[in-house]
Amino acid sequence: MGKKQTRKTHVLAHPRVPLEMTFNTSSKGLGIEHVATSLYDAYSDILTHQAMILAVNSRKQLSTYWGANDFAFHVLPNFVDPLLQFESQLKIIELSFKMVFAMPSIDKVKEMRDNEDDKDDLENLYQNILNIFEDTLLILVSKDLYKLQILKEMAVWMSEDSSYLQERAMVIISRVLSFACGKVRRYESFDIPCLGILAAELFLLCFHTDPSIIQQASSGMYHLLCIAKYQDADIAKNKTTKYDKSGSHCLLPFPCGIELPPKISQQEKTKIAQDVGQSLMPSMLTDLVWSLLMRLSASDYTTASEAATLLKLTLEYHAHKVTMMSKIVDAIYKQLCGNPSHIMKQAMLQVIALLTLASPKKVIFQLMDYPVPADNTLILMWHTAGSVSSVAPHVLKTILLILKGKPGEMHDNLMERRRFSIDVTNMMPVAASQALCTLLPVGSYKKAVAQFFPQLLMALLCQLFYSSNQKLMTGDGPLYAQDALRVLLNCSGLQQVDTALEKQNCWTQFSQELFDHSGVHLVAKTLSEYNFPQFPETLHYLYKLSVEGPRRSEDSVITVIFLTQLLNNFFKNPFPEEFLILFRNWVKDSNPTVSELSLQKIAHLAPVINEIENVCSLLTSILDAFLSKDKTVTIQALLTVRKLLDKLDKVTYSSLCTRIASSYCPLMDHSNGEIRSMAIQHFGELLRDMSQYTWMLNDVILRVLVPLILFLEDTETKVVKACKYTLEICASELGWSKPYSLTEENYNFELLVINICNSLRLSHGRYIRDLISDTLGFLKSSRAHLRRTSVILIGYLAKLCGHLLHRDEIEVMLEAVDRMLRDEDPVIKELAKITHSIFKEIADRFTTSNLKQSFRRLFNFICVKKLKPLYNYNGPNNLTVSPMGIKETKNDKESLMDENYKDILGKKFPRASKCTSEKE
């Protein structure tokens, strides 16, 4: 030993001789000398590396062991972070690996021996080097099972350089795995993330041409799968699988010690692939698949071919366990874009087919998430996915899910997106439309296309609508939705429909902004004309879609249009009750277009309105639409109700007349002049229809009397005409004499108010206080003409019933009129002064004695006061020089009571006829 040590010291002092140069010498004596020197150098270095690794493992400063000029001091300054610690150890292990496994084989060393003593020394030295390297790995693994990743790196180093002695490396890998396998039994739980990648490397080596490597790889794979079993959460808890060194109690696909044949049959490969996939957890199996996939692009054809075979066999049975499919599909797309060989190209496409078979949704989502239009590589992948006929329904379901999106729609939060790409705009629906052009004509998809015809039809109509609008904005881009829709028609036996739509320029109408909905009408109409056989399932789907509700309001519009057109062509009114319920519900839809379309359809039912069940419920839902925020919906609701009422039987009409009349009231003060005029006009028509039931409507008539009077001064002529028309009917229904001015084009507003107030005082005096209250609300109007007329009306009403008002009511009215004295309109200020004086006079009466107040109230009940013009108001519609107006003014000074007025007064108050007119 002393001799050996001296030799070692002597050799270390000399320049080192690379091991590969040792065997290039022709002299046997010189060769053995160099071999010995190289082995001693390797022995020295491996000891140094082991010390460095152990020092790093204990997290000590390397400067304690080596000087500042030593390699380790620069590579490993300080080790606290576990990741940095592992990376540093890995660098040293790599140096040791390249040195140890570049040594000559032991057989070659034996051939170069001079004598038996040299033979024994060199063999011992050789074995010690291997043992030290192996012990180093065992120490690392014993401290941390995570360090098994070093074995994965060793397998990679082996595959990168075939000059390394793989059989010798595999022996060490197998032994370390065996050691780790025995150690994991003592852990409650552990995580070794490298097992999947290492399994892929061993999997490939199990089919090596060298039987010794096959043997070691199969043994290593056996131990690795034992570790994988223990890492499984359920097995780690239950500990049902027992392991001993012989492996006799661990039922796994690679029995320890079995000798696999040099050439493994396809059946044996299939069995091994099944067992490996079954033993590995999903994450490990995914790593294995990923590693094999990366090997498909290896320069070594044999390795790539073997990887393709194993990948196919694994995915055939266990593709459902693979995760990260989007990443795998994307990797295949990139590799295919790199123009691989034909064989590797077919292998990658086969992987796509197998993944589609296992998880069509994930694969299709990824295939739709590339820029549009799709390139040839992507179309080839679509064809491959479409070749798996058994999952055709799932593929179409996924595409339909994608088609629910809106092209160009922005994602608010990138972190919430589950898509693989980094594109923030959603162009997947466009890609899905283009993909349908590829998939729908596939023969194996014929049955699935028939099954999903209604869904595809409506989805593509919506996409065509979106795409057409987008094209109008951007001015470019093909309409794949249009192409897909035409392909769908042709694949569904509707070639005649496609031809007819082409002749009618249907697709052009989709591309024009003004006619975007006419295209939908035309498609539905043409399908109906050709009695398309898919009508029953299409109608059923539309009903289901309508009940559940589409995602977007634009989709609702298309659904309503399409369904309405089909019902018009296939059903005579009234159409089925369940569809009528849909239209009734759509009246309340948040989308005004949907509400308007449903109201239009309901209006067409007027001729058969009496044949409809639950007509009251239908009318009530339309009345609710009166209060819509959209004026077009309100107008259409008014028109629809009027059209239905014209045909409604009187019994049902009378039961709803009060509810309908009350619904017109809020609209009489609407900001839109057309709605005001329609509400007032239709109210009058309702009164005329219900002339036999006036007693039911008296309260409503008096409730709307104030707006009917005030809007006589409206700025819009049609509103004024409607007020005249309805007031004339109201006067007739209430038993009043018809004021002359309602029939005149020009009239005196003040005289008309006086006439109405006198009629009120006589027949409905108890309502006057309520009318005053209603009029007060208009004093705050933003429209000046309403403030003017309300000041006049409230003055005359107060003049009539001032004796009925209480002190607190007078105070409220005075306060309201006080504000009008500061109005920006000078006319209103002057009118307010007169009204203010009227209320002031009434208020002063409360200062008199109670006896005088009681007497005055009694006098007002007995004697009827004649109202006289107080304001001299000449509004925009007032008569100024009409002879009729002058005559009316003169007559008013003498008496404002007509014969009817006197008759009623004589019956109710006998003494009132003896009273003369007096000033207050």
Side-chain angles (χ1 to χ4, degrees):
M1 287 299 292
K3 181 180 178 181
K4 293 176 183 177
Q5 189 65 36
T6 302
R7 187 177 181 183
K8 178 182 178 183
T9 305
H10 173 73
V11 171
L12 286 175
H14 290 277
R16 302 188 176 188
V17 182
L19 291 174
E20 59 271 18
M21 292 178 59
T22 302
F23 302 97
N24 293 332
T25 176
S26 59
S27 171
K28 183 177 181 181
L30 183 61
I32 194 64
E33 181 69 21
H34 282 294
V35 169
T37 301
S38 299
L39 289 177
Y40 277 117
D41 288 341
Y43 183 77
S44 174
D45 287 345
I46 199 70
L47 284 174
T48 302
H49 292 168
Q50 185 186 59
M52 293 167 61
I53 290 169
L54 296 179
V56 172
N57 215 46
S58 60
R59 300 184 181 181
K60 293 183 178 179
Q61 293 287 348
L62 292 185
S63 57
T64 306
Y65 297 92
W66 295 277
N69 294 326
D70 194 70
F71 161 79
F73 182 79
H74 295 286
V75 178
L76 311 169
N78 198 352
F79 302 93
V80 177
D81 191 317
L83 179 60
L84 293 177
Q85 180 198 67
F86 173 74
E87 290 177 351
S88 302
Q89 289 177 330
L90 187 61
K91 289 180 181 179
I92 304 172
I93 291 289
E94 185 176 5
L95 292 175
S96 299
F97 177 88
K98 293 179 178 179
M99 177 183 63
V100 170
F101 297 104
M103 293 189 307
S105 66
I106 189 63
D107 294 334
K108 291 185 178 180
V109 172
K110 289 178 180 180
E111 290 176 2
M112 302 179 69
R113 67 184 183 275
D114 289 329
N115 53 55
E116 290 299 325
D117 291 338
D118 290 338
K119 171 187 173 183
D120 294 338
D121 289 344
L122 290 178
E123 286 183 8
N124 290 333
L125 182 60
Y126 190 96
Q127 193 61 45
N128 284 338
I129 293 172
L130 293 176
N131 290 340
I132 291 172
F133 183 80
E134 182 180 331
D135 290 342
T136 302
L137 294 178
L138 292 174
I139 292 171
L140 290 176
V141 172
S142 67
K143 298 291 185 181
D144 187 359
L145 289 173
Y146 183 85
K147 301 295 175 64
L148 281 174
Q149 289 199 89
I150 296 172
L151 302 184
K152 181 248 313 185
E153 299 297 335
M154 287 175 60
V156 173
W157 298 332
M158 287 168 52
S159 64
E160 292 175 348
D161 190 344
S162 60
S163 64
Y164 296 130
L165 295 179
Q166 294 184 338
E167 189 270 339
R168 189 164 52 201
M170 285 306 305
V171 170
I172 293 179
I173 290 175
S174 178
R175 288 177 179 174
V176 174
L177 285 172
S178 176
F179 170 78
C181 189
K183 188 174 180 61
V184 296
R185 292 180 298 166
R186 298 191 294 269
Y187 288 93
E188 287 291 332
S189 62
F190 57 91
D191 181 26
I192 308 174
C194 66
L195 290 182
I197 301 175
L198 181 57
E201 298 296 334
L202 295 178
F203 203 11
L204 285 170
L205 290 171
C206 284
F207 307 104
H208 200 274
T209 55
D210 188 341
S212 61
I213 293 177
I214 293 176
Q215 181 62 35
Q216 296 301 326
S218 63
S219 177
M221 180 65 89
Y222 167 77
H223 298 302
L224 183 144
L225 294 180
C226 285
I227 296 172
K229 282 286 188 179
Y230 280 112
Q231 187 166 335
D232 189 297
D234 293 334
I235 299 212
K237 289 179 181 179
N238 300 326
K239 293 291 183 180
T240 57
T241 301
K242 301 297 182 181
Y243 168 82
D244 60 10
K245 289 186 178 180
S246 66
S248 58
H249 299 288
C250 191
L251 302 178
L252 290 170
F254 291 88
C256 186
I258 189 174
E259 292 190 8
L260 296 178
K263 275 200 170 184
I264 302 177
S265 66
Q266 185 66 26
Q267 185 176 0
E268 290 171 327
K269 285 184 179 181
T270 302
K271 181 63 170 64
I272 294 172
Q274 284 180 330
D275 293 338
V276 169
Q278 185 176 356
S279 301
L280 292 178
M281 296 166 56
S283 59
M284 298 178 191
L285 184 64
T286 302
D287 289 341
L288 181 141
V289 170
W290 178 262
S291 299
L292 293 177
L293 181 63
M294 294 299 103
R295 288 301 189 92
L296 293 183
S297 56
S299 56
D300 181 7
Y301 173 77
T302 303
T303 301
S305 178
E306 199 64 57
T309 301
L310 297 179
L311 191 57
K312 173 180 175 294
L313 292 174
T314 303
L315 292 177
E316 279 183 352
Y317 298 99
H318 302 290
H320 62 279
K321 291 177 63 177
V322 176
T323 59
M324 298 193 307
M325 285 203 181
S326 296
K327 181 180 178 182
I328 293 173
V329 172
D330 187 61
I332 293 175
Y333 172 74
K334 291 175 180 177
Q335 291 188 48
L336 288 174
C337 290
N339 296 318
S341 65
H342 177 72
I343 295 178
M344 291 303 104
K345 184 177 183 179
Q346 293 303 314
M348 292 178 191
L349 292 176
Q350 196 169 39
V351 171
I352 291 293
L354 291 171
L355 292 178
T356 304
L357 184 62
S359 183
K361 186 174 182 180
K362 293 180 181 178
V363 174
I364 295 301
F365 257 101
Q366 180 55 34
L367 290 179
M368 300 300 130
D369 200 18
Y370 290 98
V372 289
D375 54 27
N376 292 332
T377 300
L378 191 55
I379 292 175
L380 180 62
M381 296 174 75
W382 287 348
H383 273 292
T384 303
S387 65
V388 188
S389 59
S390 60
V391 294
H394 301 287
V395 171
L396 292 183
K397 278 184 180 180
T398 304
I399 291 179
L400 285 169
L401 186 62
I402 295 172
L403 288 176
K404 289 183 177 181
K406 186 176 181 179
E409 192 173 39
M410 299 292 292
H411 290 272
D412 297 332
N413 191 343
L414 292 178
M415 298 302 294
E416 292 179 357
R417 293 187 299 113
R418 292 179 292 181
R419 297 169 53 210
F420 185 73
S421 75
I422 59 173
D423 185 15
V424 296
T425 58
N426 180 19
M427 296 304 292
M428 291 177 73
V430 180
S433 299
Q434 185 183 2
L436 283 176
C437 297
T438 301
L439 296 174
L440 293 179
V442 176
S444 58
Y445 270 60
K446 185 175 182 180
K447 185 176 180 180
V449 171
Q451 178 184 352
F452 292 101
F453 175 84
Q455 293 90 325
L456 290 168
L457 176 65
M458 297 309 300
L460 289 173
L461 277 175
C462 293
Q463 287 301 316
L464 183 53
F465 172 77
Y466 293 135
S467 301
S468 299
N469 288 347
Q470 190 177 41
K471 188 174 182 179
L472 286 171
M473 292 185 290
T474 59
D476 57 0
L479 293 175
Y480 290 115
Q482 174 183 315
D483 297 337
L485 184 55
R486 298 190 65 184
V487 171
L488 174 65
L489 293 175
N490 284 279
C491 291
S492 304
L494 301 172
Q495 294 87 349
Q496 291 181 329
V497 174
D498 180 44
T499 304
L501 291 173
E502 185 71 18
K503 289 180 180 179
Q504 299 175 75
N505 295 320
C506 173
W507 313 120
T508 304
Q509 295 187 39
F510 273 101
S511 303
Q512 298 177 11
E513 187 173 7
L514 295 177
F515 304 103
D516 49 6
H517 289 151
S518 63
V520 179
H521 275 289
L522 194 53
V523 171
K525 182 174 179 293
T526 308
L527 283 169
S528 302
E529 289 174 350
Y530 283 88
N531 292 317
F532 69 115
Q534 297 89 349
F535 169 72
E537 52 263 39
T538 302
L539 191 64
H540 180 268
Y541 173 71
L542 287 171
Y543 178 79
K544 180 174 179 289
L545 187 66
S546 303
V547 172
E548 295 175 353
R551 241 178 89 179
R552 289 181 180 80
S553 58
E554 298 99 321
D555 298 353
S556 299
V557 173
I558 293 174
T559 302
V560 173
I561 292 173
F562 202 88
L563 178 60
T564 302
Q565 191 65 47
L566 290 184
L567 292 173
N568 289 341
N569 286 282
F570 283 95
F571 291 100
K572 293 183 179 179
N573 289 329
F575 49 83
E577 183 73 17
E578 54 268 24
F579 290 101
L580 181 59
I581 293 173
L582 285 179
F583 283 94
R584 185 189 67 191
N585 294 338
W586 276 332
V587 170
K588 299 177 287 186
D589 196 272
S590 58
N591 187 329
T593 306
V594 174
S595 298
E596 188 178 1
L597 289 170
S598 61
L599 287 167
Q600 289 175 358
K601 177 60 181 173
I602 293 172
H604 293 157
L605 298 176
V608 292
I609 185 66
N610 297 313
E611 299 176 28
I612 297 174
E613 296 181 9
N614 300 321
V615 66
C616 295
S617 175
L618 179 64
L619 283 168
T620 302
S621 65
I622 301 173
L623 294 176
D624 292 337
F626 282 6
L627 302 178
S628 173
K629 295 180 180 179
D630 190 275
K631 65 178 182 179
T632 58
V633 174
T634 302
I635 292 172
Q636 185 60 53
L638 286 166
L639 293 172
T640 300
V641 167
R642 190 63 247 162
K643 196 168 184 180
L644 296 179
L645 293 179
D646 286 342
K647 303 295 182 180
L648 190 64
D649 69 85
K650 296 303 179 183
V651 175
T652 306
Y653 197 162
S654 62
S655 66
L656 293 170
C657 64
T658 304
R659 169 78 169 83
I660 298 171
S662 299
S663 299
Y664 288 123
C665 298
L667 301 183
M668 293 184 181
D669 188 25
H670 200 278
S671 59
N672 182 272
E674 185 175 1
I675 293 176
R676 290 200 302 275
S677 64
M678 289 181 67
I680 294 171
Q681 180 85 13
H682 290 180
F683 182 82
E685 292 173 359
L686 183 144
L687 293 181
R688 178 160 291 172
D689 293 343
M690 292 286 103
S691 57
Q692 297 177 357
Y693 304 92
T694 304
W695 58 273
M696 298 174 61
L697 297 170
N698 279 351
D699 288 345
V700 183
I701 293 173
L702 293 167
R703 196 192 319 165
V704 303
L705 199 57
V706 169
L708 289 178
I709 296 171
L710 299 184
F711 281 104
L712 283 169
E713 292 293 283
D714 199 285
T715 55
E716 297 193 30
T717 305
K718 55 188 174 184
V719 177
V720 176
K721 289 182 178 179
C723 286
K724 286 183 176 183
Y725 170 80
T726 303
L727 271 174
E728 184 178 350
I729 296 175
C730 288
S732 174
E733 297 302 326
L734 293 174
W736 301 344
S737 61
K738 181 171 66 175
Y740 82 91
S741 53
L742 290 177
T743 58
E744 299 291 334
E745 183 176 353
N746 296 311
Y747 61 93
N748 187 292
F749 174 78
E750 188 173 0
L751 292 179
L752 180 62
V753 170
I754 291 173
N755 192 312
I756 293 173
C757 286
N758 282 322
S759 297
L760 277 171
R761 172 68 180 83
L762 183 63
S763 59
H764 297 85
R766 68 181 184 277
Y767 288 99
I768 293 179
R769 290 171 65 185
D770 296 331
L771 295 177
I772 292 176
S773 177
D774 294 342
T775 310
L776 283 174
F778 287 93
L779 292 177
K780 299 178 182 179
S781 174
S782 60
R783 288 167 278 187
H785 68 274
L786 285 179
R787 297 199 302 275
R788 288 195 296 268
T789 53
S790 59
V791 167
I792 293 173
L793 179 59
I794 201 172
Y796 280 116
L797 291 174
K799 201 70 168 163
L800 279 178
C801 68
H803 60 285
L804 299 176
L805 299 176
H806 301 293
R807 183 188 299 274
D808 54 347
E809 292 175 333
I810 294 297
E811 290 176 357
V812 171
M813 295 173 189
L814 273 173
E815 183 181 352
V817 176
D818 279 340
R819 287 195 297 268
M820 307 309 294
L821 294 174
R822 298 184 293 274
D823 197 278
E824 58 185 10
D825 189 324
V827 176
I828 295 175
K829 287 182 180 180
E830 294 301 320
L831 296 174
K833 288 180 182 178
I834 299 173
T835 302
H836 187 272
S837 64
I838 293 173
F839 280 109
K840 189 68 174 171
E841 183 180 354
I842 296 173
D844 291 341
R845 297 173 186 169
F846 287 98
T847 59
T848 60
S849 64
N850 293 334
L851 181 61
K852 288 183 177 181
Q853 293 180 36
S854 300
F855 178 77
R856 187 177 288 110
R857 286 194 181 94
L858 180 61
F859 179 80
N860 279 289
F861 275 116
I862 297 173
C863 298
V864 179
K865 298 177 293 183
K866 295 185 296 181
L867 293 177
K868 298 179 181 180
L870 302 173
Y871 296 91
N872 296 319
Y873 172 69
N874 291 315
N877 299 317
N878 284 359
L879 177 67
T880 54
V881 293
S882 169
M884 181 67 74
I886 296 171
K887 180 181 178 182
E888 179 71 17
T889 302
K890 291 179 179 179
N891 291 341
D892 184 69
K893 292 179 180 179
E894 298 175 0
S895 175
L896 289 174
M897 295 185 297
D898 56 17
E899 294 301 325
N900 184 40
Y901 185 95
K902 292 177 181 178
D903 291 341
I904 295 174
L905 179 63
K907 292 177 182 179
K908 287 194 174 184
F909 306 103
R911 295 179 56 188
S913 58
K914 300 178 182 180
C915 297
T916 58
S917 177
E918 296 179 353
K919 295 184 180 180
E920 294 183 352

